[in-house]
């Protein structure tokens, strides 16, 4: 533990470091300006940049970079050396206040959805003072990373962080107003986040044999091996020495960067794992999760491994998600989603949960769209991930409380004691909720867990949407109670109960505590008229609506222009990623699978002919049937591949992004799946030498 204490946050320009390198006056002025959202005076920025530069150089840094999150799944950076010259042309090392606060980047090469034309290149990175700078050591290079937002020349947000920061401000403002109904005065409400990151580790040597993995991050071909996850013996299984060594290195690097890595374990599929971090402020936690993904990949490379963050790298085996645990707390460290010992008597808690139900029910389609990507299309709805239908799990205890309010205007519900029947094991009370792994949005005791997010995605957009829809729900409650005149706390409580009853009655259709995998639930969801959005293309359309536009613009999170740009970027992302898969499929079939299978077909044909020549009495029916089956699937595979090629060429002629995405989704993806099916059948019919590679 002493070693962890020594290295934790070693390379973070945090409060402790700032107090050491800054004067008390400068430090206090910085804290005051940032907490009030004011611009930094020049003298403050100059002092901080000098201190940050000094600290970084003392830790071996030679460069600095403005680190940002463009509209891709990767982070971006442009490294600048500290080298400069004074007025006497003497070499000095420095970081100016201007360089700290604002940088300039070429915005034309990042996705912008039409916000910036190719010839309009200028973009700005602006220091995010709410997320601490840090140092990364990679090989022989040490660099100071400064978290930033990213804007176009005309001021539109070109990144994910800006929207997140706006949504954090919005929910802060509305929650403070709502808490005033209960006589509480708080200065700040903080969105908290704790992501759980799932991923695969595979040997680099095997990875390099798979062109599909290299091109797309997933296997486009490969039938299931004889043993996969059937025995349920990998989940929480014994940690191997190789993985333990890998995780020790990952943990050390994360701790040095102030990332509170907490838990790791084997996941369901062999070679699948999970890493979780302790709760932190949402903006910082989103930055931390980007670091988690980067470090998992870089450390894997050091161990001759490859980290796969694709949501479904292996067909018919469990995929990987990123469970986003979300809550809100006050600056006095009160978790507003903690039910307390008697949730039935906690009106504040019940009101907030009811309003969150309202937010999710009214905006289930938009929440679903925040978790859409190409890889997630193949994961969601499988037996390792939530269904594509948004519902909220409350658990029996909380549901009973709300039903009692609805039916009796009271909130009576008792905790249940679990009796173990073993002297050495104490009895215990049930938690307020169980855990439901089939629920997309589940209350898990003192937080909500959004389980739908894909493993490769940033947490920023899902959290932005949660913040925004909840803030809107809180805002409408504030407007409602502003018009309610009460003379006593008792009367106000009565109004609260009536309002909770009304909200629950109108939005209880979103509550589902059962098995989300069942066919019965799909039928039930249709009866409840819940949105069923099966794929990314359908999810993008949700954003291109009057409802979505009004939500984001009215809450000050996105302008109409910024929303339209993101719709375009989403279509572009789908088209590009899927087109790469389609081209890789055609390429691998033509250059590897078909030649191998035809070669085996010829070998089998020659064998049958030689047997027949030896003796007419030898029965070759079995071999002939096998030859026919192989030939049938070769012909199918060839037909599907030729058709894919033709359809892909037609697709190039479609100019509209939406129409092109629809065409790919409706026509080419089903064809690609049929081609894979034929190839996987051929894998089972032919010998190992003729196969491309094993699936896992």
């Amino acid at each position: 533990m002493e070693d962890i204490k020594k290295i934790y946050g070693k390379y973070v320009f945090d409060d402790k470091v700032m107090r050491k390198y800054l004067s008390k006056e400068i430090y206090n002025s910085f804290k005051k300006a940032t907490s009030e959202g004011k611009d930094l005076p020049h003298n403050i920025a100059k002092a901080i940049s000098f201190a940050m530069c000094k600290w970084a150089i003392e830790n071996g840094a030679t460069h600095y970079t403005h680190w940002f999150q463009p509209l891709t799944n990767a982070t971006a950076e442009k490294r600048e050396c500290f080298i400069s010259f004074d007025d006497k042309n003497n070499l000095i090392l420095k970081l100016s206040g201007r360089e700290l606060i604002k940088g300039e980047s070429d915005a034309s090469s990042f996705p912008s959805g039409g916000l910036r034309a190719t010839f309009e290149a200028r973009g700005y990175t602006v220091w995010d003072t709410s997320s601490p700078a840090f140092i990364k050591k990679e090989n022989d290079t040490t660099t100071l990373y400064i978290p930033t937002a990213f804007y176009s020349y005309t001021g539109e947000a070109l990144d994910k962080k800006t929207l997140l920061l706006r949504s954090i401000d919005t929910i802060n403002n509305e929650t403070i107003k709502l808490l005033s109904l209960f006589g509480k005065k708080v200065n700040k409400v903080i969105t908290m986040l704790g992501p759980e990151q799932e991923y695969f580790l595979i040997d680099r040597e095997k990875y390099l044999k798979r062109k599909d993995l290299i091109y797309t991050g997933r296997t486009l071909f490969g039938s299931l091996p004889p043993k996969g996850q059937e025995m349920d013996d990998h989940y929480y299984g014994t940690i191997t020495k190789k993985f333990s060594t890998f995780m020790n290195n990952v943990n050390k690097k994360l701790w040095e960067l102030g990332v509170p890595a907490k838990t790791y374990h084997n996941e369901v599929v062999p070679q699948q794992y999970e890493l979780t971090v302790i709760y932190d402020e949402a903006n910082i936690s989103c930055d931390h999760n980007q670091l988690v993904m980067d470090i998992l990949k870089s450390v894997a490379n050091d161990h001759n491994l490859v980290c796969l963050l694709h949501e479904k790298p292996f067909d018919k085996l469990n995929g990987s998600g990123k469970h986003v645990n979300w809550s809100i707390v006050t600056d006095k460290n009160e978790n507003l989603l903690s039910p307390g010992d008697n949730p039935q008597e906690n009106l504040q808690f019940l009101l907030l949960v009811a309003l969150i139900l309202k937010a999710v029910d009214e905006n289930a389609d938009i929440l679903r769209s925040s978790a859409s990507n190409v890889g997630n299309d193949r994961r969601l709805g499988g037996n390792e991930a939530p269904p594509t239908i948004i519902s909220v799990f409350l658990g029996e205890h909380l549901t009973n409380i709300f039903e009692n309010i609805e039916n009796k205007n009271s909130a009576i519900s008792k905790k249940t004691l679990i009796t173990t029947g073993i002297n050495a094991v104490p009895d215990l009370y049930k938690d307020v909720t169980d855990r439901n792994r089939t629920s997309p949005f589940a209350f898990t005791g003192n937080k909500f867990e959004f389980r739908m997010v894909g493993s490769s995605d940033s947490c920023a957009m899902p959290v932005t949407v949660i913040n925004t829809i909840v803030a809107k729900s809180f805002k409408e409650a504030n407007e409602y109670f502003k018009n309610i005149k009460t003379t006593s706390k008792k009367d106000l409580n009565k109004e609260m109960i009536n309002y909770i009853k009304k909200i629950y009655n109108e939005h209880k259709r979103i509550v589902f505590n059962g098995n989300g995998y069942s066919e019965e639930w799909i039928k039930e969801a249709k009866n409840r008229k819940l949105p069923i959005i099966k794929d990314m293309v359908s999810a993008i359309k949700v954003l291109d609506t009057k409802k979505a536009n009004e939500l984001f613009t009215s809450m000050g999170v996105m302008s109409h222009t910024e929303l339209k740009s993101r719709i375009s970027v989403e279509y572009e992302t789908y088209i590009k990623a899927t087109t790469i898969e389609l081209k890789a499929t055609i390429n691998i079939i033509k250059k590897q699978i078909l030649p191998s299978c035809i070669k085996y077909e010829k070998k089998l044909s020659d064998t049958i002919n030689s047997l027949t020549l030896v003796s007419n009495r030898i029965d070759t029916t079995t071999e002939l049937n096998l030859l026919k089956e192989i030939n049938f699937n070769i012909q199918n595979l060839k037909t599907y591949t030729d058709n894919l090629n033709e359809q892909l060429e037609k697709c190039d002629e479609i100019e509209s992004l939406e129409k092109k995405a629809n065409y790919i989704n409706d026509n080419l993806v089903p064809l690609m799946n049929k081609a894979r099916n034929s190839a996987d059948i051929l894998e089972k019919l032919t010998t190992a030498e003729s196969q491309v590679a094993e699936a896992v």
Side-chain angles (χ1 to χ4, degrees), residues 234-268:
H234 191 256
Y235 190 56
Y236 280 23
T238 303
I239 305 292
T240 63
K241 183 179 179 181
K242 186 173 185 178
F243 177 60
S244 182
T245 303
F246 164 81
M247 273 312 303
N248 284 340
N249 290 338
V250 168
N251 282 333
K252 182 182 176 184
K253 284 183 176 288
L254 290 174
W255 291 334
E256 286 177 341
L257 293 171
V259 180
K262 175 74 171 175
T263 307
Y264 65 89
H265 61 83
N266 293 356
E267 258 298 331
V268 174

Side-chain angles (χ1 to χ4, degrees), residues 538-551:
S538 302
I540 298 170
K541 293 174 185 176
V542 168
L543 297 176
D544 199 11
T545 59
K546 182 180 178 181
K547 171 185 163 183
N549 185 67
E550 287 180 353
L551 168 70

Side-chain angles (χ1 to χ4, degrees), residues 564-618:
K564 293 294 285 186
S565 75
R566 276 150 183 79
I567 293 167
S568 295
V569 169
E570 288 288 289
Y571 277 129
E572 286 175 1
T573 301
Y574 175 83
I575 291 164
K576 289 174 182 176
T578 312
T579 300
I580 290 170
E581 289 191 352
L582 292 163
K583 288 180 177 178
T585 296
I586 294 167
N587 186 288
I588 292 168
I589 289 172
K590 285 186 172 181
K591 292 185 176 180
Q592 292 179 264
I593 297 176
L594 279 176
S596 295
C597 291
I598 290 169
K599 183 178 178 181
Y600 180 77
E601 182 184 36
K602 183 179 183 305
K603 186 177 179 180
L604 179 59
S605 177
D606 290 344
T607 302
I608 293 169
N609 289 334
S610 64
L611 288 172
T612 306
L613 288 172
V614 170
S615 173
N616 289 329
R617 288 177 294 177
I618 294 178

Side-chain angles (χ1 to χ4, degrees), residues 465-682:
V465 170
I466 295 171
N467 287 348
T468 306
I469 63 176
V470 171
K472 181 175 182 288
S473 187
F474 286 4
K475 181 180 181 181
E476 290 169 354
N478 286 325
E479 291 169 353
Y480 175 86
F481 282 105
K482 188 168 65 176
N483 299 317
I484 298 294
K485 307 298 180 184
T486 57
T487 56
S488 67
K489 185 177 179 181
K490 183 179 179 181
D491 288 342
L492 179 60
N493 287 350
K494 187 176 179 181
E495 289 292 343
M496 290 274 186
I497 289 285
N498 287 335
Y499 187 69
I500 292 169
K501 176 180 179 178
K502 174 178 178 292
I503 293 297
Y504 183 74
N505 181 265
E506 290 173 355
H507 300 286
K508 63 183 179 181
R509 67 171 187 163
I510 201 69
V511 177
F512 178 66
N513 296 327
N515 180 9
Y517 295 160
S518 68
E519 290 296 322
E520 290 75 17
W521 166 233
I522 297 174
K523 295 175 185 176
E524 175 64 20
K526 288 179 180 177
N527 290 335
R528 296 187 188 191
K529 297 183 179 178
L530 296 177
I532 300 175
I533 302 168
K534 293 184 178 180
D535 52 59
M536 182 179 177
V537 174
S538 302
I540 298 170
K541 293 174 185 176
V542 168
L543 297 176
D544 199 11
T545 59
K546 182 180 178 181
K547 171 185 163 183
N549 185 67
E550 287 180 353
L551 168 70
F552 292 113
T553 56
S554 68
M555 300 309 294
V557 173
M558 262 193 282
S559 68
H560 172 72
T561 306
E562 287 170 332
L563 177 59
K564 293 294 285 186
S565 75
R566 276 150 183 79
I567 293 167
S568 295
V569 169
E570 288 288 289
Y571 277 129
E572 286 175 1
T573 301
Y574 175 83
I575 291 164
K576 289 174 182 176
T578 312
T579 300
I580 290 170
E581 289 191 352
L582 292 163
K583 288 180 177 178
T585 296
I586 294 167
N587 186 288
I588 292 168
I589 289 172
K590 285 186 172 181
K591 292 185 176 180
Q592 292 179 264
I593 297 176
L594 279 176
S596 295
C597 291
I598 290 169
K599 183 178 178 181
Y600 180 77
E601 182 184 36
K602 183 179 183 305
K603 186 177 179 180
L604 179 59
S605 177
D606 290 344
T607 302
I608 293 169
N609 289 334
S610 64
L611 288 172
T612 306
L613 288 172
V614 170
S615 173
N616 289 329
R617 288 177 294 177
I618 294 178
D619 187 357
T620 57
T621 304
T622 302
E623 290 84 351
L624 283 168
N625 287 338
L626 177 59
L627 183 62
K628 288 177 183 177
E629 191 174 359
I630 290 171
N631 184 261
F632 174 78
N633 281 286
I634 286 175
Q635 295 303 321
N636 278 347
L637 187 57
K638 178 71 167 57
T639 301
Y640 293 141
T641 307
D642 290 344
N643 202 348
L644 262 181
N645 218 16
E646 290 172 13
Q647 299 279 9
L648 202 53
E649 288 175 2
K650 286 183 183 178
C651 193
D652 290 337
E653 300 169 7
I654 303 173
E655 293 185 5
S656 161
L657 291 175
E658 182 180 355
K659 289 180 180 177
K660 184 177 284 192
N662 280 323
Y663 189 83
I664 290 171
N665 194 48
D666 296 341
N667 299 287
L668 276 76
V669 171
L671 260 178
M672 180 169 60
N673 293 336
K674 288 178 180 178
R676 174 177 188 150
N677 184 54
S678 290
D680 290 354
I681 290 171
L682 283 166

Side-chain angles (χ1 to χ4, degrees), residues 159-177:
D159 66 340
K160 298 177 181 179
K161 179 185 277 282
T162 299
L163 307 187
L164 176 63
L165 292 172
R166 289 175 186 167
S167 75
I168 288 170
D169 286 344
T170 299
I171 196 170
N172 168 60
N173 296 335
E174 295 303 331
T175 311
I176 287 174
K177 292 177 189 174

Side-chain angles (χ1 to χ4, degrees), residues 42-277:
H42 176 71
N43 66 313
I44 304 296
K46 184 178 178 181
I48 293 172
S49 63
F50 178 82
M52 194 184 289
C53 180
K54 186 174 185 294
W55 168 77
I57 291 170
E58 286 175 1
N59 281 280
T62 55
H63 292 70
Y64 70 91
T65 181
H66 277 196
W67 185 62
F68 58 100
Q69 298 175 39
L71 301 178
T72 65
N73 271 349
T75 54
E77 58 190 68
K78 180 179 75 171
R79 299 186 187 185
E80 304 272 1
C81 187
F82 288 121
I83 286 178
S84 187
F85 293 91
D86 63 15
D87 53 4
K88 294 181 180 179
N89 209 33
N90 295 316
L91 187 146
I92 58 173
L93 301 177
K94 76 166 193 173
L95 171 67
S96 71
R98 177 180 171 80
E99 288 169 332
L100 169 63
I101 291 173
K102 189 174 84 170
E104 187 181 326
S105 178
D106 183 348
S108 64
S109 296
F110 292 105
S112 71
L115 283 178
R116 306 294 293 147
T118 302
F119 61 86
E120 298 171 323
R122 195 185 299 273
Y124 299 115
T125 50
V126 184
W127 180 28
D128 172 18
T129 58
S130 63
S131 186
F134 56 90
I135 289 171
K136 278 180 76 175
K137 291 180 177 287
E138 297 166 309
N139 301 322
D140 296 328
T141 306
T142 302
T143 306
L144 170 67
Y145 281 69
I146 303 166
T148 60
F150 186 41
Y151 296 91
S152 72
Y153 179 71
T154 48
E156 294 94 353
L158 292 174
D159 66 340
K160 298 177 181 179
K161 179 185 277 282
T162 299
L163 307 187
L164 176 63
L165 292 172
R166 289 175 186 167
S167 75
I168 288 170
D169 286 344
T170 299
I171 196 170
N172 168 60
N173 296 335
E174 295 303 331
T175 311
I176 287 174
K177 292 177 189 174
L178 195 62
L179 291 178
S180 68
L181 294 173
F182 299 92
K184 290 187 176 179
K185 293 182 179 180
V186 298
N187 296 315
K188 188 177 182 181
V189 172
I190 305 155
T191 304
M192 300 294 286
L193 179 66
E196 303 170 22
Q197 179 70 53
E198 294 176 342
Y199 60 97
F200 279 84
L201 284 177
I202 63 172
D203 290 334
R204 174 165 290 277
E205 186 181 347
K206 292 183 178 179
Y207 170 82
L208 293 173
K209 292 179 179 178
R210 296 298 305 245
K211 293 293 185 185
D212 46 3
L213 276 177
I214 294 170
Y215 291 142
T216 70
R218 75 179 181 97
T219 53
L220 299 172
F221 304 97
S223 59
L224 278 174
K227 182 180 183 295
Q229 62 192 64
E230 296 85 356
M231 300 303 294
D232 300 321
D233 54 354
H234 191 256
Y235 190 56
Y236 280 23
T238 303
I239 305 292
T240 63
K241 183 179 179 181
K242 186 173 185 178
F243 177 60
S244 182
T245 303
F246 164 81
M247 273 312 303
N248 284 340
N249 290 338
V250 168
N251 282 333
K252 182 182 176 184
K253 284 183 176 288
L254 290 174
W255 291 334
E256 286 177 341
L257 293 171
V259 180
K262 175 74 171 175
T263 307
Y264 65 89
H265 61 83
N266 293 356
E267 258 298 331
V268 174
V269 182
Q271 296 173 251
Q272 186 188 30
Y273 308 94
E274 182 178 295
L275 167 65
T276 63
V277 299

Side-chain angles (χ1 to χ4, degrees), residues 8 132 190-195 258-260 277-286 288 325 327 329:
Y8 191 82
I190 305 155
T191 304
M192 300 294 286
L193 179 66
V259 180
V277 299
I278 295 174
Y279 261 59
D280 211 331
E281 295 186 25
N283 180 41
I284 294 173
S285 193
C286 281
H288 282 174
N325 294 284
S327 65
V329 303

